């Protein structure tokens, strides 16, 4: 990946936070994905305007995945482009990973991490912790989790390229989601106990 400077990689990652900024029914987050890819693509194709234009256009295609785990595809696509993969390989890769990344992200974040952090905050509030502390703890824990996932996903995609499916399986994110859901179930019991005891 000699064509990619550290500055381009960091800039691509920072732009990933805006991947939903141009969400639409036609391309979903495809436009945001292309926007995030721009710094890396400029580093790879900046000397060739025609190739640059073609590369940007292929990333404007429809793409939909969980916004946090989209970083896996973003890093991997950047790696594929830097390695000189042909356009069809890049398109097939993005088509193959968007569904799994969407399902895994929904299960891990929306069905596990967010509810667990919300229940943690609710339990703290019922225990009499000041509201500002509850809000601060929730924001700190939730954002620490999703930032760690974003960073890990981007670095993993950039490192392994098209082999992300195997790496995701080895990472055990589905199992992690199941464990977090178990904690959420425990918190539901704790909150129920607190509510009943306070009546």
């Amino acid at each position: 990946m000699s064509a990619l400077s550290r500055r381009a990689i960091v800039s691509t990652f920072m732009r990933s936070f805006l991947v939903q900024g141009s969400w639409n029914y036609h391309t979903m987050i495809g436009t945001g994905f292309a926007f995030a890819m721009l710094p890396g693509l400029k580093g790879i194709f900046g000397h060739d305007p025609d190739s640059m234009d073609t590369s940007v256009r292929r990333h404007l295609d429809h793409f939909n995945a969980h916004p946090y785990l989209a970083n896996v595809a973003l890093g991997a696509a950047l790696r594929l482009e830097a390695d000189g993969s042909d356009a069809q390989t890049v398109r097939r890769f993005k088509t193959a990973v968007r569904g799994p990344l969407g399902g895994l992200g929904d299960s891990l974040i929306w069905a596990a991490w967010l509810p667990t952090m919300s229940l943690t905050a609710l339990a703290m509030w019922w225990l009499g912790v000041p509201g500002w502390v509850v809000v601060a703890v929730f924001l700190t824990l939730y954002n620490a989790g999703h930032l760690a996932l974003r960073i890990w996903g981007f670095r993993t995609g950039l490192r392994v390229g098209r082999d992300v499916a195997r790496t995701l399986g080895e990472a055990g994110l589905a199992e992690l989601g199941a464990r977090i859901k178990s904690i959420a179930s425990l918190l539901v019991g704790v909150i129920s106990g607190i509510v009943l005891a306070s009546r």
Side-chain angles (χ1 to χ4, degrees):
M1 293 188 297
S2 57
L4 289 176
S5 66
R6 180 177 294 275
R7 180 177 180 178
I9 291 171
V10 171
S11 182
T12 299
F13 173 74
M14 295 305 294
R15 284 176 175 230
S16 72
F17 289 92
L18 303 174
V19 76
Q20 289 181 291
S22 56
W23 187 96
N24 61 82
Y25 287 107
H26 179 61
T27 65
M28 299 299 206
I29 63 171
T31 309
F33 194 97
F35 172 77
M37 289 283 290
L38 274 175
L41 295 177
K42 284 180 180 177
I44 299 167
F45 302 108
H47 60 284
D48 184 348
D50 291 335
S51 295
M52 176 69 184
D53 181 69
T54 301
S55 67
V56 172
R57 288 179 184 276
R58 68 171 160 261
H59 289 292
L60 286 169
D61 290 344
H62 177 277
F63 184 78
N64 194 34
H66 191 280
Y68 301 167
L69 280 179
N71 275 17
V72 175
L74 185 64
L78 196 57
R79 169 68 181 266
L80 289 172
E81 293 284 9
D83 288 348
S85 301
D86 61 272
Q88 285 305 313
T89 297
V90 176
R91 283 197 175 98
R92 284 197 300 268
F93 167 77
K94 289 176 64 179
T95 300
V97 300
R98 64 189 180 190
L101 290 178
L104 181 59
D106 288 349
S107 176
L108 178 61
I109 302 300
W110 302 151
W113 185 245
L114 179 58
T116 301
M117 293 301 97
S118 299
L119 287 167
T120 299
L122 186 59
M124 291 174 63
W125 185 75
W126 273 103
L127 287 170
V129 176
W132 70 270
V133 175
V134 172
V135 171
V137 169
F138 171 82
L139 291 176
T140 299
L141 292 177
Y142 178 78
N143 287 308
H146 95 75
L147 286 172
L149 185 62
R150 283 179 182 270
I151 294 169
W152 174 85
F154 184 71
R155 293 181 64 185
T156 297
L158 197 60
R159 177 172 52 86
V160 303
R162 63 197 302 178
D163 293 329
V164 292
R166 178 174 54 83
T167 305
L168 283 172
E170 294 172 351
L173 294 182
E175 292 78 6
L176 175 61
R179 289 196 294 271
I180 294 173
K181 288 175 186 176
S182 297
I183 296 172
S185 299
L186 176 63
L187 286 169
V188 169
V190 170
I191 293 171
S192 298
I194 293 172
V195 172
L196 290 173
S198 63
R199 300 187 76 177

